[in-house]
Amino acid sequence: MTDNLHPMTAISSSRAWLESLRLRTLPLACASVMTGSALAWWQGHFNAGTAALALLTTALLQILSNLANDYGDALKGSDTPARIGPLRGMQKGAISQKQMRSALILTVALTMISGVALVIRACQSVNDFLGFIALGAVAIVAAIAYTVGKKPYGYLGLGDASVLIFFGWLGVMGSYYLQAHQLSLLLLLPATACGLMAVAVLNVNNMRDIESDQQHGKFTLAVRLGASGARRYHQLILTAAVLCCAVFALLTSLNLAGWLFLLSAPLLFRQARYITQQPSAVAMRPMLAKTVKSALLLNLLFSLGLVLN
């Protein structure tokens, strides 16, 4: 059986796993560690070994989330040939449920090993050690529970909040703290900006799949807001992200290099205008990759500005 959007042709096992791993999502997932490490550099606390372990742990958590997402959506029948987004290994029949469960167990084990190594290296007190172990456990559960279980929170419209917390607040401030061993409320601004850009990527993905998600009971925030509401929400996300960076630059008196992130503003504005003017779900397909690149650009420029300061 074939579909004009998704030919159900046989694919190799290696290609199926690559599709399910979604390696292209890793740079965006690691942007929070990059930003947190840049903040640590700016404050004179950068630690290359800790930053590297934080990047590895974050990448493994993202891979775990990707695999769990495929597993949960396949079990619930959310990903069908009728959806606009790409089908993955399980949906194409190239990966069995048993194989995916084994992959999930392996990824959880690798994530735990990397996470424990990170906190052993970085934490300077028992309280910090126990606190970050607990946060790591919560992150693993959150990565799996997004689409797996009787009531996955991704199906209840809570995915955006989760992304803001883990890709923004915890990712940036956690990686900073593990290197600097101190925190400031001002860090909430770049952490929120980083998280909001990840939310923007998720929102484009959900706007693309809004029709199929609604049909299969996946009530993402885009489904709950509706097509027009999700587009206004997207404008708000992008605007708030840039404003958070600007307020941080003002309050910390960064020099001209600290405002490099503004170079991404015209690109974000054009994308927001396009998304607002295109009401169809199909029009969101090319915007997903563009939004990922825009999110990376904003974070990269902001981090570069901190390093130059």
Side-chain angles (χ1 to χ4, degrees):
M1 177 178 179
T2 61
D3 180 88
N4 60 337
L5 292 177
H6 300 291
M8 299 296 285
T9 55
I11 60 173
S12 67
S13 176
S14 58
R15 180 180 173 186
W17 282 110
L18 285 174
E19 289 179 349
S20 290
L21 289 173
R22 306 185 207 182
L23 298 180
R24 292 181 180 179
T25 64
L26 298 188
L28 180 61
C30 293
S32 61
V33 177
M34 176 184 68
T35 301
S37 297
L39 287 163
W41 177 288
W42 174 59
Q43 290 292 304
H45 300 296
F46 177 72
N47 185 295
T50 298
L53 278 172
L55 282 171
L56 176 61
T57 304
T58 300
L60 287 169
L61 278 169
Q62 181 60 40
I63 289 173
L64 175 62
S65 178
N66 291 342
L67 295 177
N69 186 278
D70 284 8
Y71 182 74
D73 283 345
L75 290 184
K76 292 174 175 59
S78 301
D79 289 350
T80 68
R83 73 189 288 266
I84 298 172
L87 296 181
R88 308 296 178 182
M90 282 193 71
Q91 291 78 25
K92 293 180 178 179
I95 300 174
S96 67
Q97 291 185 24
K98 182 179 180 180
Q99 288 174 320
M100 186 59 79
R101 283 195 297 268
S102 297
L104 287 170
I105 293 172
L106 175 61
T107 309
V108 168
L110 292 174
T111 304
M112 292 176 64
I113 293 171
S114 178
V116 170
L118 171 61
V119 296
I120 288 176
R121 175 186 174 86
C123 291
Q124 297 181 345
S125 70
V126 174
N127 288 338
D128 282 355
F129 179 85
L130 294 177
F132 274 95
I133 288 293
L135 286 174
V138 170
I140 289 174
V141 171
I144 297 173
Y146 182 73
T147 56
V148 177
K150 294 183 179 179
K151 292 185 177 181
Y153 65 87
Y155 281 62
L156 302 176
L158 300 176
D160 297 57
S162 175
V163 166
L164 175 60
I165 292 170
F166 288 101
F167 284 73
W169 298 339
L170 290 182
V172 174
M173 298 178 73
S175 57
Y176 174 84
Y177 183 85
L178 287 171
Q179 297 174 69
H181 305 289
Q182 61 186 23
L183 283 177
S184 166
L185 285 177
L186 280 176
L187 298 178
L188 277 172
L189 289 167
T192 299
C194 185
L196 287 175
M197 292 308 300
V199 172
V201 174
L202 176 63
N203 189 52
V204 171
N205 180 82
N206 290 341
M207 285 192 289
R208 182 197 65 190
D209 296 337
I210 191 169
E211 296 170 0
S212 61
D213 283 348
Q214 190 169 18
Q215 291 170 3
H216 292 91
K218 188 174 183 178
F219 296 106
T220 62
L221 189 56
V223 170
R224 294 184 182 277
L225 292 174
S228 60
R231 282 157 174 75
R232 290 192 296 270
Y233 168 62
H234 197 81
Q235 286 183 313
L236 179 62
I237 293 170
L238 298 181
T239 302
V242 176
L243 285 177
C244 282
C245 292
V247 173
F248 180 83
L250 281 172
L251 293 179
T252 56
S253 301
L254 294 181
N255 62 26
L256 186 60
W259 292 85
L260 279 174
F261 65 89
L262 287 178
L263 294 176
S264 66
L267 178 61
L268 294 175
F269 174 76
R270 287 196 299 271
Q271 291 187 5
R273 184 174 60 181
Y274 174 87
I275 287 173
T276 303
Q277 295 174 345
Q278 299 295 325
S280 71
V282 175
M284 296 302 102
R285 182 193 292 173
M287 294 309 298
L288 185 58
K290 292 181 179 180
T291 306
V292 169
K293 292 176 182 178
S294 298
L296 287 173
L297 180 62
L298 176 65
N299 283 291
L300 181 60
L301 290 174
F302 179 79
S303 298
L304 179 60
L306 289 174
V307 171
L308 292 177
N309 267 263

